[in-house]
Amino acid sequence: MSTELLSQITASLVDGDPDLTIDLTKQAIQGGIEPMTIIERGLVPGMNIVGDKFSTGEYFLPHLIISANGMQQAMDLLEPELRARSQQMKVSGKVVIGTVQGDIHEIGKSLVATMLSASGFQVYDLGVDVPAEDFIAKVKETGAQLVGLSALLTTTMIVQKEIIEALSIAGLRDQIKIMVGGAPVTRSWAAEIGADGFAEDAIQAVQLATQLMGA
Ligand code: HCB
């Protein structure tokens, strides 16, 4: 039953039917399916299929926008559920996170931010299209110990490198850890640009953040 519902959620995103995505997500929550299961086995596969269809020319930008809209609205329903499952934990550290300049993909970054915050981190989410200066200013202002850089485009991965360099030039590199992520980002890219770690998804991001902060 739950597998069928999750497949229907995936299909509703692929079919570009946000109202159905929302309806099915509500049903899944009411049916007791864990929010992370709904995200990872229902919503994310749908977005991946939409992305694949876009790259093969079967889908166009409006398809991406409609499906992203469905996923965003489903995430709005799931976010309080994720937070409700977090225990009251002591703050494990401060994290500044954002999608790098030139890149407006926000769903994955926001999911990582929600999961970190639900796991006890104090999160400063700078949003999307964030220039190096804003990361530098926020780290100085908050004393954050961790920076998360998201990039979804092969053309903006290089901006992760530029931001790491800018943080070094600003004299902040020794006091912070940096984790990178986003669909095209890999462990070897993280190593190449001098990041402290790479996370493939939001669960790994929480594990990595905890490990990097020595919490
Ligand atoms: Co966009 N787009 N898009 N897009 N888009 C991708 C990313 C492509 C891969 C699609 C494709 O061709 N297969 C492609 C990039 C190709 C490439 O560079 N090689 C692409 C393109 C080309 C474009 C445009 C250039 C299209 C155009 O205008 N012609 C344009 C770029 C605009 C810009 O940024 N300047 C564009 C626009 C859009 C929108 C606006 C329509 C929409 C985003 C809406 C929004 O976010 N509000 C969109 C979408 C939705 C996608 C796809 C379909 C889904 C992305 C997504 O939300 N995935 C995506 C295809 C894909 O990725 N498979 C496609 C779901 C989330 C949960 O996964 O990977 O983002 P995630 O995040 C994970 C993970 O990476 C990790 O944890 C997250 C949670 O599990 N993580 C981190 C992420 N950040 C982290 C940071 C950390 O520190 C740690 C872990």
Side-chain angles (χ1 to χ4, degrees):
M1 171 62 188
S2 80
T3 310
E4 196 186 317
L5 194 50
L6 293 169
S7 303
Q8 286 172 348
I9 290 175
T10 304
S12 71
L13 280 180
V14 177
D15 296 343
D17 189 345
D19 290 343
L20 184 58
T21 306
I22 293 155
D23 250 30
L24 293 167
T25 302
K26 282 183 187 159
Q27 282 180 42
I29 294 169
Q30 279 155 13
I33 304 178
E34 279 303 308
M36 259 339 262
T37 306
I38 301 172
I39 293 167
E40 300 219 311
R41 291 181 42 210
L43 296 166
V44 170
M47 295 310 285
N48 286 338
I49 295 170
V50 171
D52 291 345
K53 286 182 181 288
F54 178 75
S55 49
T56 58
E58 190 182 335
Y59 276 10
F60 297 97
L61 198 53
H63 295 105
L64 286 192
I65 294 170
I66 291 167
S67 302
N69 185 13
M71 169 128 191
Q72 291 267 31
Q73 292 188 60
M75 288 304 299
D76 290 345
L77 293 172
L78 290 163
E79 199 178 303
E81 299 294 324
L82 286 169
R83 290 188 191 281
R85 277 158 184 75
S86 70
Q87 298 123 17
Q88 288 297 31
M89 288 177 255
K90 67 173 175 55
V91 172
S92 341
K94 295 178 185 174
V95 188
V96 172
I97 190 166
T99 303
V100 302
Q101 188 162 33
D103 198 322
I104 61 165
H105 293 87
E106 70 174 335
I107 296 170
K109 177 273 301 164
S110 299
L111 177 54
V112 172
T114 300
M115 290 299 289
L116 285 171
S117 137
S119 307
F121 289 88
Q122 189 161 346
V123 179
Y124 302 91
D125 184 346
L126 300 180
V128 298
D129 193 18
V130 183
E133 306 84 78
D134 290 9
F135 283 101
I136 291 167
K138 205 64 180 176
V139 169
K140 283 185 178 163
E141 178 198 322
T142 60
Q145 307 95 333
L146 180 63
V147 172
L149 301 175
S150 185
L152 267 284
L153 300 170
T154 42
T155 48
T156 55
M157 286 166 67
I158 194 72
V159 183
Q160 293 181 322
K161 181 171 187 273
E162 290 164 5
I163 292 174
I164 295 175
E165 284 165 1
L167 286 162
S168 296
I169 292 165
L172 296 169
R173 189 65 186 93
D174 290 346
Q175 67 192 63
I176 51 168
K177 301 286 184 190
I178 299 174
M179 67 174 180
V180 292
V185 177
T186 59
R187 200 169 299 286
S188 64
W189 173 250
E192 192 182 324
I193 63 174
D196 298 296
F198 156 76
E200 190 152 357
D201 57 34
I203 291 173
Q204 272 189 25
V206 171
Q207 288 165 349
L208 177 63
T210 308
Q211 181 199 317
L212 289 174
M213 309 278 275

